[in-house]
């Protein structure tokens, strides 16, 4: 496995583990009805900062390990194939991110419209409490998903041309 | 000028003109009524954008030989990839800024725009996301133009 592939696997595993934990905590908070609590924003912010620190530490630690187990000549050489795979994956990730943002925005707008006009806070999608913190976290989930798509597609292209 | 460069110029200029007009109107309406989003204007701008780009791309295609229209050149593939990569990085950064700024915006005032409630902030968040997509596309097109100019020089 090349250094670039190791780095991509590190990124995927660290993201899935750390951000998976973070969104699991967030979902549990929302399901438990803590969205209306005064402590919700503080608790979620602490979990977010914790996840950010852990993901950086895990990625740095594993990258150092991958560096130590890869020859220097392999680390420095970034061939044409790797560059093209990375550029193609960015294209797919950009399209995925635009589509996700569009779906989130359209969903939020439609939910708001239905809530205002029809159900007035009585439906399952009616959000009371820290709506913007929740929306910000949905956007964060979109960014994490797009990064996973980018890393996954790069790996797929690297394997295909091998 | 190659077909790809023409396409990038069309996307850049039509995007700046149409969405620049949209955001100037939206800003003045939001200052007057922070929770209001002119949906009809948005739909009109999407249609205008599709029509103008479709028409100009059709004209550009007519004036370019068929063999030059596809991304066959290694240099063009690389330019397109680099521009997309930068556009993606820009969009990621901008979306992160919108996500972090929106919850903090409630109760604040920006150049006459007072945000009093979460609903108003959510409307402005939606506009911020649209602006992020428009800016990322403009950055992508601008990078294509710059890299084509640089490689032609």
């Amino acid at each position: 496995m090349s250094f670039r592939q190791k780095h991509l696997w590190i990124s995927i595993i660290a993201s899935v583990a750390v951000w998976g934990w973070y969104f699991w905590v967030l979902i549990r908070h929302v399901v438990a009805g803590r969205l209306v609590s005064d402590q919700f924003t503080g608790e979620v912010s602490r979990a977010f900062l914790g996840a950010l620190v852990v993901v950086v530490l895990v990625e740095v630690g594993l990258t150092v390990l991958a560096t130590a187990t890869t020859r220097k000549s392999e680390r420095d050489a970034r061939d044409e194939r790797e560059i093209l795979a990375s550029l193609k994956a960015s294209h797919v990730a950009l399209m995925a991110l635009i589509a996700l943002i569009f779906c989130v925005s359209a969903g939020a707008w439609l939910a708001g419209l239905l809530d205002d006009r029809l159900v007035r806070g009585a439906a399952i999608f009616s959000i009371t409490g820290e709506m913007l913190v929740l929306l910000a976290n949905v956007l964060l989930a979109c960014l994490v998903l797009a990064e996973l798509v980018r890393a996954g597609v790069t790996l797929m292209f690297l394997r295909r041309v091998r | 000028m190659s077909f790809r460069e023409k396409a990038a110029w069309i996307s850049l200029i039509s995007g700046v003109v149409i969405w620049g007009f949209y955001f100037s109107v939206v800003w003045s309406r939001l200052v007057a009524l922070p929770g209001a989003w002119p949906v009809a204007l948005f739909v009109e701008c999407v249609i205008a954008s599709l029509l103008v780009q479709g028409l100009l791309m059709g004209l550009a295609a007519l004036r370019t030989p068929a063999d030059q229209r596809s991304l066959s050149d290694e240099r063009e593939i690389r330019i397109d990839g680099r521009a997309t990569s930068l556009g993606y990085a820009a969009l990621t950064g901008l979306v992160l800024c919108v996500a972090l700024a929106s919850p903090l915006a409630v109760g604040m005032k920006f150049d006459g725009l007072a945000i009093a409630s979460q609903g108003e902030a959510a409307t402005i968040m939606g506009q911020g996301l649209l602006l992020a997509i428009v800016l990322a596309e403009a950055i992508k097109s601008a990078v294509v133009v710059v890299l084509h100019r640089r490689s032609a020089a």
Side-chain angles (χ1 to χ4, degrees):
Chain A
M1 196 187 286
S2 72
F3 180 68
R4 177 84 185 140
Q5 282 173 311
K6 283 180 193 167
H7 193 256
L8 288 166
W9 275 115
I10 289 167
S11 186
I12 289 173
I13 292 166
S15 292
V16 169
V18 178
W19 293 116
W21 168 80
Y22 170 74
F23 288 113
W24 174 244
V25 169
L26 180 78
I27 289 166
R28 276 179 49 198
H29 270 66
V30 173
V31 170
R34 286 191 214 140
L35 206 58
V36 289
S37 157
D38 289 340
Q39 279 90 45
F40 178 76
T41 305
E43 286 168 359
V44 168
S45 302
R46 274 193 294 278
F48 170 73
L49 288 175
L52 199 61
V53 170
V54 171
V55 85
V56 169
L57 287 177
V58 168
E59 283 218 28
V60 168
L62 290 177
T63 305
V64 168
L65 197 68
T67 309
T69 56
T70 315
R71 282 198 305 268
K72 193 176 182 311
S73 57
E74 273 183 47
R75 285 198 312 260
D76 296 340
R78 199 176 177 214
D79 60 29
E80 196 67 20
R81 185 180 60 97
E82 288 183 336
I83 293 169
L84 278 178
S86 161
L87 294 179
K88 279 181 189 168
S90 291
H91 189 81
V92 178
L94 177 66
M95 294 302 114
L97 185 55
I98 289 175
L100 284 167
I101 292 170
F102 182 78
C103 289
V104 168
S105 303
W109 179 71
L110 277 175
L113 199 68
L114 285 173
D115 197 37
D116 285 349
R117 304 270 161 87
L118 293 173
V119 294
R120 301 196 182 273
I124 195 160
F125 54 79
S126 300
I127 298 167
T128 48
E130 300 293 348
M131 178 185 73
L132 283 173
V133 177
L134 190 63
L135 269 176
N137 277 288
V138 174
L139 287 177
L140 180 67
C142 292
L143 293 177
V144 172
L145 277 176
E147 267 305 295
L148 286 174
V149 166
R150 193 175 68 86
V153 172
T154 310
L155 273 173
M156 192 188 76
F157 279 124
L158 285 175
R159 283 184 176 212
R160 193 180 283 179
V161 290
R162 191 163 274 271
Chain B
M1 195 188 285
S2 73
F3 181 67
R4 287 285 142 188
E5 193 182 343
K6 283 178 196 165
W9 273 115
I10 289 167
S11 173
L12 182 63
I13 293 170
S14 64
V16 167
V17 170
I18 293 171
W19 294 106
F21 165 75
Y22 170 81
F23 283 111
S24 68
V25 172
V26 163
W27 179 261
S28 58
R29 289 197 192 175
L30 283 176
V31 168
L33 194 62
W37 175 38
V39 186
L41 180 69
F42 170 73
V43 174
E44 283 161 15
C45 283
V46 170
I47 292 168
S49 196
L50 290 174
L51 284 178
V52 169
Q53 287 202 22
L55 190 72
L56 292 176
M57 289 291 280
L59 277 175
L62 281 177
R63 292 171 60 91
T64 312
D67 60 322
Q68 287 178 24
R69 281 181 223 151
S70 59
L71 261 181
S72 52
D73 189 340
E74 186 70 27
R75 183 184 62 99
E76 287 193 338
I77 292 171
R78 194 174 271 258
I79 285 174
D80 193 62
R82 290 223 180 283
T84 306
S85 194
L86 273 170
Y88 172 66
L91 183 60
T92 302
L94 288 165
V95 169
L96 200 59
C97 289
V98 170
L100 292 175
S102 298
L104 304 172
V106 181
M108 288 194 175
K109 204 171 178 180
F110 306 96
D111 196 23
L113 173 66
I115 305 166
S117 69
Q118 288 201 80
E120 290 173 2
T123 306
I124 291 158
M125 185 193 225
Q127 298 308 310
L129 290 174
L130 181 60
L131 182 62
I133 292 173
V134 169
L135 282 176
E137 279 297 317
I139 288 169
K140 186 183 157 203
S141 301
V143 172
V144 170
V145 168
V146 168
L147 292 179
H148 270 283
R149 297 271 100 195
R150 200 180 278 174
S151 65

Short mmCIF file of all heavy atoms in Angstrom, two decimals, chain A residues 11-39:
data_model
loop_
_atom_site.label_atom_id
_atom_site.label_comp_id
_atom_site.label_asym_id
_atom_site.label_seq_id
_atom_site.Cartn_x
_atom_site.Cartn_y
_atom_site.Cartn_z
N SER A 11 -7.47 8.85 7.23
CA SER A 11 -8.47 9.92 7.22
C SER A 11 -9.89 9.35 7.33
O SER A 11 -10.73 9.85 8.10
CB SER A 11 -8.29 10.71 5.92
OG SER A 11 -9.12 11.80 5.91
N ILE A 12 -10.16 8.27 6.58
CA ILE A 12 -11.50 7.66 6.60
C ILE A 12 -11.80 7.07 7.98
O ILE A 12 -12.86 7.34 8.57
CB ILE A 12 -11.62 6.56 5.51
CG1 ILE A 12 -11.64 7.20 4.11
CG2 ILE A 12 -12.89 5.72 5.71
CD1 ILE A 12 -11.59 6.21 2.97
N ILE A 13 -10.85 6.30 8.51
CA ILE A 13 -11.10 5.63 9.80
C ILE A 13 -11.24 6.65 10.94
O ILE A 13 -12.18 6.57 11.75
CB ILE A 13 -9.96 4.60 10.10
CG1 ILE A 13 -10.07 3.44 9.09
CG2 ILE A 13 -10.04 4.08 11.53
CD1 ILE A 13 -8.87 2.54 9.04
N ALA A 14 -10.35 7.67 10.94
CA ALA A 14 -10.43 8.69 12.00
C ALA A 14 -11.75 9.46 11.91
O ALA A 14 -12.42 9.69 12.92
CB ALA A 14 -9.25 9.65 11.87
N SER A 15 -12.16 9.81 10.68
CA SER A 15 -13.41 10.58 10.51
C SER A 15 -14.62 9.76 10.94
O SER A 15 -15.49 10.25 11.67
CB SER A 15 -13.59 10.99 9.05
OG SER A 15 -12.64 11.92 8.70
N VAL A 16 -14.69 8.50 10.47
CA VAL A 16 -15.85 7.66 10.80
C VAL A 16 -15.93 7.46 12.31
O VAL A 16 -17.00 7.61 12.92
CB VAL A 16 -15.78 6.31 10.05
CG1 VAL A 16 -16.82 5.33 10.60
CG2 VAL A 16 -16.00 6.51 8.56
N ALA A 17 -14.78 7.17 12.95
CA ALA A 17 -14.80 6.89 14.39
C ALA A 17 -15.14 8.14 15.20
O ALA A 17 -16.08 8.12 16.02
CB ALA A 17 -13.44 6.35 14.82
N VAL A 18 -14.41 9.23 14.96
CA VAL A 18 -14.57 10.42 15.81
C VAL A 18 -15.87 11.15 15.50
O VAL A 18 -16.65 11.45 16.42
CB VAL A 18 -13.35 11.36 15.68
CG1 VAL A 18 -13.54 12.60 16.52
CG2 VAL A 18 -12.08 10.63 16.09
N TRP A 19 -16.10 11.46 14.21
CA TRP A 19 -17.33 12.19 13.89
C TRP A 19 -18.56 11.30 14.06
O TRP A 19 -19.65 11.79 14.38
CB TRP A 19 -17.26 12.80 12.48
CG TRP A 19 -16.21 13.87 12.42
CD1 TRP A 19 -15.08 13.85 11.67
CD2 TRP A 19 -16.16 15.09 13.18
NE1 TRP A 19 -14.33 14.98 11.91
CE2 TRP A 19 -14.98 15.76 12.82
CE3 TRP A 19 -16.99 15.68 14.12
CZ2 TRP A 19 -14.60 16.98 13.37
CZ3 TRP A 19 -16.63 16.90 14.68
CH2 TRP A 19 -15.45 17.54 14.30
N GLY A 20 -18.40 10.00 13.88
CA GLY A 20 -19.50 9.06 14.16
C GLY A 20 -19.90 9.16 15.63
O GLY A 20 -21.10 9.24 15.95
N TRP A 21 -18.89 9.18 16.51
CA TRP A 21 -19.17 9.32 17.95
C TRP A 21 -19.87 10.66 18.22
O TRP A 21 -20.86 10.72 18.95
CB TRP A 21 -17.84 9.24 18.74
CG TRP A 21 -18.02 9.67 20.16
CD1 TRP A 21 -18.52 8.92 21.18
CD2 TRP A 21 -17.75 10.97 20.71
NE1 TRP A 21 -18.57 9.68 22.35
CE2 TRP A 21 -18.10 10.93 22.08
CE3 TRP A 21 -17.24 12.17 20.17
CZ2 TRP A 21 -17.95 12.04 22.93
CZ3 TRP A 21 -17.10 13.26 21.01
CH2 TRP A 21 -17.46 13.19 22.36
N TYR A 22 -19.33 11.74 17.63
CA TYR A 22 -19.88 13.08 17.87
C TYR A 22 -21.35 13.15 17.46
O TYR A 22 -22.22 13.61 18.22
CB TYR A 22 -19.07 14.12 17.11
CG TYR A 22 -19.70 15.49 17.11
CD1 TYR A 22 -19.67 16.29 18.25
CD2 TYR A 22 -20.35 15.98 15.99
CE1 TYR A 22 -20.28 17.54 18.26
CE2 TYR A 22 -20.95 17.23 15.99
CZ TYR A 22 -20.91 18.00 17.13
OH TYR A 22 -21.52 19.22 17.14
N PHE A 23 -21.67 12.64 16.25
CA PHE A 23 -23.07 12.73 15.79
C PHE A 23 -23.98 11.77 16.57
O PHE A 23 -25.16 12.06 16.75
CB PHE A 23 -23.16 12.49 14.27
CG PHE A 23 -22.62 13.66 13.49
CD1 PHE A 23 -21.48 13.56 12.72
CD2 PHE A 23 -23.25 14.90 13.56
CE1 PHE A 23 -20.96 14.65 12.04
CE2 PHE A 23 -22.75 16.00 12.89
CZ PHE A 23 -21.60 15.87 12.12
N TRP A 24 -23.42 10.68 17.06
CA TRP A 24 -24.19 9.77 17.92
C TRP A 24 -24.58 10.50 19.21
O TRP A 24 -25.74 10.44 19.65
CB TRP A 24 -23.36 8.50 18.21
CG TRP A 24 -23.99 7.57 19.19
CD1 TRP A 24 -23.51 7.23 20.43
CD2 TRP A 24 -25.22 6.87 19.05
NE1 TRP A 24 -24.36 6.35 21.05
CE2 TRP A 24 -25.42 6.11 20.23
CE3 TRP A 24 -26.18 6.81 18.05
CZ2 TRP A 24 -26.54 5.31 20.43
CZ3 TRP A 24 -27.31 6.01 18.25
CH2 TRP A 24 -27.47 5.26 19.43
N VAL A 25 -23.63 11.22 19.82
CA VAL A 25 -23.90 12.01 21.03
C VAL A 25 -24.97 13.06 20.74
O VAL A 25 -25.92 13.25 21.51
CB VAL A 25 -22.59 12.68 21.54
CG1 VAL A 25 -22.87 13.72 22.62
CG2 VAL A 25 -21.63 11.62 22.08
N LEU A 26 -24.82 13.74 19.60
CA LEU A 26 -25.77 14.80 19.22
C LEU A 26 -27.18 14.23 19.06
O LEU A 26 -28.15 14.78 19.59
CB LEU A 26 -25.30 15.46 17.92
CG LEU A 26 -26.20 16.57 17.39
CD1 LEU A 26 -25.98 17.85 18.17
CD2 LEU A 26 -25.95 16.81 15.91
N ILE A 27 -27.28 13.09 18.34
CA ILE A 27 -28.60 12.48 18.10
C ILE A 27 -29.24 12.07 19.43
O ILE A 27 -30.43 12.29 19.65
CB ILE A 27 -28.47 11.28 17.12
CG1 ILE A 27 -28.16 11.80 15.71
CG2 ILE A 27 -29.76 10.45 17.08
CD1 ILE A 27 -27.69 10.74 14.74
N ARG A 28 -28.42 11.52 20.32
CA ARG A 28 -28.96 11.11 21.63
C ARG A 28 -29.50 12.31 22.41
O ARG A 28 -30.55 12.24 23.05
CB ARG A 28 -27.88 10.40 22.44
CG ARG A 28 -27.79 8.92 22.07
CD ARG A 28 -26.72 8.19 22.84
NE ARG A 28 -26.76 8.42 24.26
CZ ARG A 28 -25.74 8.18 25.08
NH1 ARG A 28 -24.61 7.73 24.59
NH2 ARG A 28 -25.84 8.39 26.37
N HIS A 29 -28.78 13.43 22.32
CA HIS A 29 -29.24 14.67 22.97
C HIS A 29 -30.58 15.12 22.39
O HIS A 29 -31.49 15.49 23.13
CB HIS A 29 -28.20 15.79 22.76
CG HIS A 29 -27.16 15.84 23.83
ND1 HIS A 29 -26.25 14.84 24.03
CD2 HIS A 29 -26.89 16.78 24.76
CE1 HIS A 29 -25.46 15.16 25.04
NE2 HIS A 29 -25.83 16.34 25.51
N VAL A 30 -30.67 15.09 21.05
CA VAL A 30 -31.89 15.58 20.40
C VAL A 30 -33.06 14.66 20.72
O VAL A 30 -34.16 15.13 21.08
CB VAL A 30 -31.68 15.69 18.86
CG1 VAL A 30 -32.99 16.02 18.15
CG2 VAL A 30 -30.63 16.74 18.55
N VAL A 31 -32.84 13.33 20.64
CA VAL A 31 -33.91 12.37 20.92
C VAL A 31 -34.38 12.48 22.37
O VAL A 31 -35.57 12.33 22.67
CB VAL A 31 -33.43 10.92 20.58
CG1 VAL A 31 -34.42 9.87 21.07
CG2 VAL A 31 -33.24 10.78 19.08
N ALA A 32 -33.44 12.79 23.27
CA ALA A 32 -33.80 12.92 24.69
C ALA A 32 -34.53 14.23 24.99
O ALA A 32 -34.88 14.51 26.14
CB ALA A 32 -32.54 12.81 25.55
N GLY A 33 -34.72 15.06 23.96
CA GLY A 33 -35.46 16.31 24.13
C GLY A 33 -34.64 17.44 24.73
O GLY A 33 -35.21 18.42 25.22
N ARG A 34 -33.30 17.32 24.65
CA ARG A 34 -32.47 18.38 25.25
C ARG A 34 -32.26 19.59 24.34
O ARG A 34 -31.53 20.51 24.70
CB ARG A 34 -31.09 17.80 25.63
CG ARG A 34 -31.19 16.93 26.86
CD ARG A 34 -29.84 16.56 27.40
NE ARG A 34 -29.91 15.22 27.95
CZ ARG A 34 -28.98 14.31 27.83
NH1 ARG A 34 -27.88 14.58 27.18
NH2 ARG A 34 -29.12 13.13 28.36
N LEU A 35 -32.91 19.56 23.16
CA LEU A 35 -32.76 20.68 22.23
C LEU A 35 -33.30 21.98 22.84
O LEU A 35 -32.87 23.08 22.48
CB LEU A 35 -33.53 20.34 20.94
CG LEU A 35 -33.08 21.00 19.65
CD1 LEU A 35 -31.63 20.70 19.33
CD2 LEU A 35 -33.95 20.55 18.49
N VAL A 36 -34.25 21.85 23.75
CA VAL A 36 -34.83 23.05 24.37
C VAL A 36 -34.10 23.44 25.66
O VAL A 36 -34.41 24.46 26.27
CB VAL A 36 -36.34 22.85 24.69
CG1 VAL A 36 -37.16 22.81 23.42
CG2 VAL A 36 -36.57 21.59 25.49
N SER A 37 -33.12 22.63 26.04
CA SER A 37 -32.39 22.93 27.28
C SER A 37 -31.40 24.08 27.07
O SER A 37 -30.82 24.23 26.00
CB SER A 37 -31.65 21.66 27.72
OG SER A 37 -30.58 21.98 28.54
N ASP A 38 -31.19 24.86 28.13
CA ASP A 38 -30.24 25.97 28.06
C ASP A 38 -28.80 25.47 27.92
O ASP A 38 -27.93 26.18 27.43
CB ASP A 38 -30.34 26.83 29.33
CG ASP A 38 -31.63 27.63 29.35
OD1 ASP A 38 -32.22 27.79 28.27
OD2 ASP A 38 -32.04 28.05 30.45
N GLN A 39 -28.58 24.22 28.39
CA GLN A 39 -27.21 23.68 28.34
C GLN A 39 -26.87 23.02 26.99
O GLN A 39 -25.73 22.62 26.77
CB GLN A 39 -27.03 22.61 29.44
CG GLN A 39 -26.75 23.19 30.81
CD GLN A 39 -28.03 23.44 31.57
OE1 GLN A 39 -28.91 22.60 31.58
NE2 GLN A 39 -28.14 24.61 32.19
#
